[in-house]
Amino acid sequence: MNLDRTNLSRRLFLLRSAQTGVALTLGLALPHASGATDGYTGATQAAGAAFEPNAFVAITADNRVVVTIKHLEMGQGTFTGLATIVAEELDAAWDQVDAIGAPANTGQYKNLLIGAQITGGSTSIANSWLQMREAGAAVRHMLLAAAASRWQIPATELTAREGEVLHAASGRKASFGELASAAAKQPVPETIVLKDPKNFTLIGKQRLERKDEGKTNGSAVFTQDVQLPGMLTAVVVHPPVFGARVKQVVDKKALALPGVQAVVRIPTGVAVLATTFYQAQQASKALVIQWSGGDTELSSPQLLRDYRALAEQPGVVAAERGDAGAALAAAEQVIEADYEFPFLAHAAMEPMNCVLQKYATGVEMWYGCQGHSFDQKNVAAVFGLQPEQVKINTLYAGGSFGRRASFDSQYPVELAEIAKAYARSVPIKLVWTREDDTRGGYYRPMYVHKLQASVDKSGAIAAWQQRIVGQSIMGVEKDKVDRTTVEGAANLPYSVANFRVETHNTTLPIPPLWWRSVGSTHTAYAVETFIDELAHRAQRDPIEFRLGLLADYPRHRQVLATVAAKSGWQQPLPKGHFRGVAVHESFHSYVAQVAEIARQDNGKFRIVKVTCAVDCGIAVNPDVIAAQMEGGIGFGLAPLLFSEITIDKGQVVQSNFHDYQVVRMRHMPQVEVHIVPSAEPPTGVGEPGVPVIAPAVANALFSATGKRLRKLPLGQEYFDL
């Protein structure tokens, strides 16, 4: 399919509009344009916009181009990336473009790859690429038509550039704002012509100022910044043990404290409502709660023992070719490796929070919403409303890594239950502390892998069998395969004649949730350290060994070749320095990394440099891509070095950053990012940088110590932390 020039009839355009949200919606009220600020997002109301031809683009009389972004901005650059695509096709000046978050409206703003209005899976650019190009191009055509009509000049003689329509022969020009009202009267073009990529001036070409720059100057508004008249703050005391329920509450002391308005029981615990957060938090500590139920015998060591026993048993087949069992039985030598991965918390810098106002006719909410479709539906169900009666104002989010998007809308529903129980029409802000989220949130599941392989005399992999034990994030039955468990393993790119991946889905009271890069968080480590071990057994260079097994995967080969060249793989290292490599595809993007470590005077190691090569298709914003690779490397280092959630007597042991550690500046290596040129449609960058770093470092540690490290985190034994 040619994504660069698309001819659409009016009928096809309107049909696609219904499917994608590129619609002629002249009456659509966007939450931003030139006018009064709304006080919450720093954005302005679009009621005065002169030209709103579709759900994504509005042009104001004062020459602002307002792009509505259907994906949550949580640091990954969606405001910048999607605005760039529109501005490119529209030929707008970058400094005239504003980006705002879309409200909840699945019909107009759904993720075309997922089928719901949700941000996730590194799909924001990928699913919006053609959609946003068409939206921008349609507006450009209508502006040109308006100028052509005004000047009585054929539209073919006109061009758009930097926010103006120009007629070179006569020297006439008009800004988009001057043409906006006239353009609104033009019909939707029957044919939309997209730019040839060779004519791009913004996409991949310029270093653009980010459209979420308010995060650096203090003007960005997060949920904690929202203040409404008469607003109360709610804090919830959650069960200390997974699966426990409230039996009895004594709230006399709490209710007597200053500012406390109410104590209410809800399905997830006991909520205190007060005038301020501090008052609510202090009152929550004064509650006397008796809990019942819960599994107090649950512990990480016991779970690991159970998981290791399951890994010895055949599981449900997730992928198979040839006969791995027979090939392993016939092999002269079988290489085996067992891997253990702990539970992980998301540890977003901004813990969970939300604001809700109940009205007689519906509900209005303000927060960094990641899963609009789920939250709108689930909150509506609490009040017996229709989803469209729940209005969501999308704010910035201070990170998420998957935490803010769950099928059950955990904390928005919790706030809805609080508002329902309180039964007064006042705005309420729910605030989770970091302790709340660390001990009562959702988690990347614990996993155990068992791998077996054999290498023939030529060095080829004759057989590969992998069993993965862990909870199903998607909630599938025991006899079914959860693709998020096996992604990165079931689609192994290496050439193996006899290959088999099996899985066991476990059931626990600990709630699982996707975590940045999902299944690849553990499969990439197991696969890439094991393939490195096989290369060593075959006495082959790790990169050459991989390249020899990737004949059918040119994009893997290209990032590997790039990272080998850029890292100086074949060049000697200073004394005490060691390298390791890993390559992985996730979310249709390809990343290879070489990690360099250095032995310190105390015998431990520091990670001093990471060279990263990424192929993510057309690079819309190279700076954003580099930033996401750098951030992903930092994020992926934490579970290698020290991050883990452990369970003891049914409770989470960790509570905050002092015992659930994340990477600090002193841990961060120098990072070089090299973007492989590509003409393929763009794919995601928010997650693919994460899975590769841990195995690359672990392979470097093998070069230094001769030890294969198969249980994370590695911790103080190896690193100078």
Side-chain angles (χ1 to χ4, degrees), residues 389-469:
Q389 291 177 277
V390 177
K391 178 183 178 182
I392 297 176
N393 300 288
T394 307
L395 308 183
Y396 288 130
S400 172
F401 318 119
R403 177 67 181 92
R404 301 180 194 276
S406 62
F407 293 128
D408 63 3
S409 309
Q410 183 198 31
Y411 64 96
V413 164
E414 186 171 75
L415 177 55
E417 293 284 4
I418 294 168
K420 181 180 178 181
Y422 188 55
R424 298 182 188 179
S425 185
V426 298
I428 302 171
K429 179 189 292 184
L430 171 65
V431 177
W432 282 43
T433 65
R434 187 163 310 286
E435 288 81 1
D436 291 332
D437 200 35
T438 304
R439 288 185 162 166
Y442 288 179
Y443 306 93
R444 196 288 304 271
M446 170 188 286
Y447 293 100
V448 164
H449 290 233
K450 184 176 183 62
L451 283 95
Q452 297 175 295
S454 63
V455 178
D456 64 24
K457 293 180 180 179
S458 70
I461 303 175
W464 177 295
Q465 180 171 281
Q466 185 169 1
R467 289 183 185 144
I468 305 173
V469 181

Side-chain angles (χ1 to χ4, degrees), residues 536 699-709:
H536 178 73
N699 290 334
L701 281 169
F702 170 77
S703 296
T705 66
K707 296 179 181 179
R708 291 293 175 185
L709 305 173

Side-chain angles (χ1 to χ4, degrees), residues 247-529:
K247 182 178 181 180
Q248 185 178 355
V249 181
V250 179
D251 57 11
K252 184 177 180 180
K253 289 184 179 179
L255 288 169
L257 292 174
V260 177
Q261 303 299 308
V263 174
V264 298
R265 290 176 60 166
I266 57 175
T268 54
V270 181
V272 178
L273 293 94
T275 305
T276 68
F277 166 73
Y278 178 77
Q279 292 169 338
Q281 186 183 42
Q282 293 304 109
S284 72
K285 297 175 182 178
L287 294 172
V288 179
I289 306 174
Q290 290 185 6
W291 305 92
S292 63
D295 185 357
T296 58
E297 300 299 316
L298 197 66
S299 72
S300 292
Q302 182 59 55
L303 285 173
L304 282 171
R305 288 193 290 270
D306 294 343
Y307 277 28
R308 287 195 292 263
L310 266 178
E312 298 295 331
Q313 306 299 319
V316 179
V317 176
E320 185 173 30
R321 57 180 178 267
D323 191 335
L328 289 170
E332 292 184 7
Q333 183 182 22
V334 174
I335 302 104
E336 295 191 0
D338 296 326
Y339 293 86
E340 298 176 5
F341 304 92
F343 295 103
L344 295 174
H346 297 78
M349 191 57 64
E350 178 191 20
M352 304 305 102
N353 47 25
C354 193
V355 175
L356 183 148
Q357 169 76 73
K358 177 72 171 67
Y359 304 109
T361 56
V363 171
E364 186 168 9
M365 305 179 75
W366 295 262
Y367 63 113
C369 182
Q370 187 173 356
H372 296 75
S373 296
F374 303 141
D375 293 0
Q376 196 176 36
K377 177 183 176 181
N378 293 332
V379 169
V382 172
F383 294 107
L385 301 172
Q386 296 300 311
E388 57 269 20
Q389 291 177 277
V390 177
K391 178 183 178 182
I392 297 176
N393 300 288
T394 307
L395 308 183
Y396 288 130
S400 172
F401 318 119
R403 177 67 181 92
R404 301 180 194 276
S406 62
F407 293 128
D408 63 3
S409 309
Q410 183 198 31
Y411 64 96
V413 164
E414 186 171 75
L415 177 55
E417 293 284 4
I418 294 168
K420 181 180 178 181
Y422 188 55
R424 298 182 188 179
S425 185
V426 298
I428 302 171
K429 179 189 292 184
L430 171 65
V431 177
W432 282 43
T433 65
R434 187 163 310 286
E435 288 81 1
D436 291 332
D437 200 35
T438 304
R439 288 185 162 166
Y442 288 179
Y443 306 93
R444 196 288 304 271
M446 170 188 286
Y447 293 100
V448 164
H449 290 233
K450 184 176 183 62
L451 283 95
Q452 297 175 295
S454 63
V455 178
D456 64 24
K457 293 180 180 179
S458 70
I461 303 175
W464 177 295
Q465 180 171 281
Q466 185 169 1
R467 289 183 185 144
I468 305 173
V469 181
Q471 287 171 275
S472 165
I473 293 174
M474 304 300 290
V476 304
E477 297 86 351
K478 284 190 175 184
D479 60 344
K480 298 290 192 299
V481 174
D482 184 335
R483 62 175 180 80
T484 66
T485 299
V486 299
E487 63 187 5
N491 56 331
L492 186 80
Y494 298 113
S495 177
V496 180
N498 300 286
F499 172 74
R500 182 182 177 95
V501 174
E502 302 171 356
T503 182
H504 290 278
N505 295 332
T506 62
T507 302
L508 299 175
I510 303 168
L513 190 63
W514 32 67
W515 189 91
R516 190 177 182 182
S517 75
V518 200
S520 293
T521 61
H522 52 102
T523 58
Y525 188 88
V527 167
E528 281 301 298
T529 56

